[in-house]
Amino acid sequence: MFESLSDRLGGVFDRLTKQGALSEDDVKTALREVRVALLEADVSLPVARDFIKAVQDKASGQSVTKSVTPGQQVVKIVHDELVHVLAGDGGDGKLKIDNPPAPILMVGLQGSGKTTTTAKLAKRMKEREGKKVLMASLDVNRPAAMEQLQILGVQIGVDTLPIVKGEDPVQIAKRAKTQASMGGYDVYMLDTAGRLSIDEELMQQVEAVRDVANPRETLLVVDGLTGQDAVHTAENFDERIGISGVVLTRMDGDGRGGAALSMRAVTGKPIRFVGLGEKMDAIEEFHAERVAGRILG
Ligand code: GDP
C-alpha cells in the first residue's frame, strides 16, 4: 500500500507547531513529500516539477488559519492545484454529436481498451441520449478485432457495419459514412486498428482515415495503468492526428492515476471519460476531484 500524502505530511508537520504563516522552510519540507507522492502515483518528473513550483508559489507566505494544521493547509493547496490542472477548461463531458451523422474516431494502442470503449460509449449515447449509433471496425489485420466489435454490438443492441473482406481502412470509413447517412444514424464510430507500439504505418493509416472521415471527435484511448508510456502515447497521437480528448481505461485497477495529470499537463487535452471495468456500463465521465483524491491517496 502507498502511504497517503496526508499521512506523510502529518508526520512532517507533527514536528512543527508553528502557527501564523507557512514559512518557506515548512513549505519546502512538505513539498519534498508531495513530490515523492506524485512520483509514486506515476506522475512524470517534469510535470511533477512544474506542479511543485506552482504549489510553492501559492503556499509561501499563506497564513494558516486556526482551524487547520499547516499540514492540512498544504494538502488543501496541493489538492486544489491538482483539481485545477486536471479539470482544465472543464467541458460537460458530452460528445459533439450534433449534425448527424457525426463521425467519432477512436484511436489508441492495441490492448488499451479501444474496442471495449467504443462499445461502452455507443451504449451510453444510445441509452442516455437516444442516439442511433453505427460502429465500424477498421482493424483489417486482425479479423478477431472486427468480430469482437460485432459481438459487442449484438450484446448492447447497437448496429455494426457489415464486415467485407479485402477492404482497406479508408474504404471501410467511406462505407461507414455512406451507410450512416443512408440509414439515418446520428453517430458513426470508427474503431481504428491498434498496434503494440506506435509506428509510422499506423500513424499514416489513422491520418488517412481522419482525412476522409473528418471526425467531430477524435478520442484517444489509453491504459491508465501504463504511466509514463501513456503520456508518450498521448503526445504522439496528439501531434500526428490531433485528438479532442482522452479516455483513460483500467481506472478500476490499483494505479494511482498520475498518468491523468501528466497527460493533461503535457497535451492540454481534456480527459473525457474513465473506464472502470470490463462490463459495458463500466465507464463514467471524468471527475477531476475524484482523480485528485486518488493521486493524493
Ligand atoms: P483494444 O485492443 O484496444 O481494442 O482493447 P480491448 O477493447 O480489446 O480491451 C482489452 C482488454 O481490456 C479486454 O479484456 C477488455 O475487457 C479490458 N478492458 C477494457 N477497458 C477496461 C477497463 O476500463 N477496466 C478493465 N479492468 N478492463 C478493461
Side-chain angles (χ1 to χ4, degrees):
M1 265 321 272
F2 300 100
E3 189 185 4
S4 80
L5 184 61
S6 311
D7 291 346
R8 280 178 189 285
L9 291 177
V12 171
F13 282 99
D14 276 351
R15 280 170 269 129
L16 308 165
T17 49
K18 287 188 214 105
Q19 287 287 320
L22 286 173
S23 77
E24 215 167 289
D25 273 354
D26 292 346
V27 173
K28 266 204 186 123
T29 315
L31 289 185
R32 265 199 292 277
E33 297 297 326
V34 174
R35 190 180 139 110
V36 174
L38 290 178
L39 296 178
E40 271 184 5
D42 237 344
V43 175
S44 67
L45 192 57
V47 172
R49 253 190 228 132
D50 288 351
F51 183 84
I52 295 293
K53 174 87 184 52
V55 173
Q56 192 158 15
D57 292 346
K58 287 197 176 135
S60 295
Q62 257 202 24
S63 56
V64 180
T65 50
K66 289 248 163 10
S67 53
V68 295
T69 65
Q72 287 166 337
Q73 177 119 350
V74 174
V75 170
K76 180 167 183 338
I77 297 168
V78 170
H79 175 268
D80 291 351
E81 182 64 16
L82 272 177
V83 172
H84 172 71
V85 176
L86 284 168
D89 47 16
D92 57 4
K94 284 225 168 72
L95 296 170
K96 290 192 192 68
I97 44 174
D98 41 354
N99 292 344
I104 298 181
L105 190 63
M106 304 295 293
V107 301
L109 296 179
Q110 189 176 318
S112 59
K114 191 161 39 60
T115 300
T116 311
T117 302
T118 302
K120 284 176 177 176
L121 289 176
K123 182 170 190 282
R124 215 180 139 91
M125 285 185 277
K126 176 187 145 192
E127 289 176 357
R128 298 196 176 202
E129 300 175 61
K131 298 293 181 190
K132 187 174 173 190
V133 183
L134 177 70
M135 305 188 293
S137 170
L138 275 50
D139 200 344
V140 292
N141 298 322
R142 289 196 311 141
M146 294 188 138
E147 282 158 25
Q148 185 195 347
L149 189 67
Q150 223 172 24
I151 291 166
L152 291 175
V154 171
Q155 195 184 318
I156 60 174
V158 168
D159 294 340
T160 45
L161 189 72
I163 297 171
V164 174
K165 289 210 169 70
E167 278 185 336
D168 66 30
V170 167
Q171 288 170 322
I172 302 175
K174 286 182 178 163
R175 189 158 57 86
K177 187 176 189 172
T178 307
Q179 171 130 352
S181 303
M182 296 200 332
Y185 288 88
D186 298 302
V187 181
Y188 63 101
M189 306 184 74
L190 302 173
D191 182 15
T192 60
R195 299 271 205 287
L196 291 174
S197 61
I198 291 171
D199 64 31
E200 186 52 30
E201 199 193 333
L202 167 71
M203 283 302 181
Q204 283 180 6
Q205 194 183 82
V206 180
E207 276 174 342
V209 170
R210 176 202 60 197
D211 292 344
V212 299
N214 197 13
R216 205 70 52 78
E217 296 271 7
T218 300
L219 298 178
L220 172 70
V221 180
V222 279
D223 180 343
L225 295 182
T226 54
Q228 304 306 308
D229 286 345
V231 181
H232 293 308
T233 304
E235 261 183 308
N236 269 301
F237 272 95
D238 195 34
E239 261 172 44
R240 285 294 293 265
I241 312 298
I243 58 174
S244 59
V246 174
V247 182
L248 268 187
T249 62
R250 300 210 174 81
M251 293 296 275
D252 49 313
D254 289 337
R256 290 287 287 278
L261 184 74
S262 305
M263 240 174 314
R264 188 75 182 87
V266 169
T267 65
K269 295 294 159 63
I271 296 159
R272 307 283 286 276
F273 296 94
V274 293
L276 293 166
E278 304 207 9
K279 297 226 167 69
M280 286 292 105
D281 286 323
I283 190 161
E284 65 177 30
E285 278 161 29
F286 176 75
H287 295 287
E289 291 269 351
R290 277 183 213 166
V291 176
R294 189 169 172 146
I295 291 174
L296 286 176

